[in-house]
Amino acid sequence: MTMRKTGGHPDLNVVNPNAAAIDIGSTMHMAAVNPDTDVMPVRAFGTFTQDLHNLADWFRSCGVTSVAMESTGGYWIPAFEILEAHGFEVILVNARRAKNVPGRKTDVSDAGWLRQLHSYGLLRGSFRPEAEIATLRA
């Protein structure tokens, strides 16, 4: 696999060019994809089931393979499960860790910033048990 140098960060290599990210909210999710794949790389989606399937379809049309999401509450669970069912690799990121990464530009949305960090391989997912075990716990 060839790694690309980034334009704005010459010391960082893009290790996951097909990365996407979601800033999870209670009534709206902000999602971001690689700007090279869509004219509107940051979009808002609702939180209903059909909205989440539309989000998955958009990710698929943009060539996304891996999704990082940030949430401080339980609103991430439906999005996580639907995206995982659509075959995406999904990681849940600790919001506090993502916010503390130095170098953030104030004009970049949270979803765009998460996508950028995820594309560089700088995010680590929180522990999430396998689907069967998660179902038993619920």
Side-chain angles (χ1 to χ4, degrees):
M1 176 166 114
T2 304
M3 292 190 198
R4 296 182 304 176
K5 287 283 189 183
T6 62
H9 302 281
D11 297 336
L12 296 175
N13 289 318
V14 173
V15 297
N16 188 6
N18 301 321
I22 310 170
D23 184 21
I24 300 287
S26 61
T27 61
M28 180 180 61
H29 303 324
M30 292 302 296
V33 297
N34 185 331
D36 296 337
T37 64
D38 197 276
V39 294
M40 226 172 80
V42 179
R43 294 186 184 185
F45 289 86
T47 57
F48 292 104
T49 302
Q50 187 57 53
D51 299 323
L52 300 176
H53 286 288
N54 293 342
L55 171 62
D57 292 342
W58 180 57
F59 280 166
R60 180 81 54 228
S61 73
C62 293
V64 169
T65 57
S66 180
V67 180
M69 60 176 56
E70 176 184 77
S71 181
T72 53
Y75 302 112
W76 60 271
I77 297 171
F80 189 103
E81 290 175 349
I82 287 174
L83 291 172
E84 199 172 53
H86 277 266
F88 296 100
E89 173 197 3
V90 186
I91 63 169
L92 181 65
V93 177
N94 182 319
R96 191 172 308 152
R97 286 187 183 163
K99 298 261 193 270
N100 290 332
V101 175
R104 178 171 181 172
K105 298 178 185 175
T106 56
D107 62 339
V108 177
S109 72
D110 284 347
W113 178 242
L114 282 174
R115 191 215 58 84
Q116 189 173 10
L117 294 175
H118 190 37
S119 72
Y120 296 149
L122 297 176
L123 298 177
R124 188 174 13 172
S126 300
F127 173 73
R128 169 96 167 120
E130 295 296 321
E132 298 82 30
I133 295 172
T135 302
L136 292 174
R137 293 189 70 204

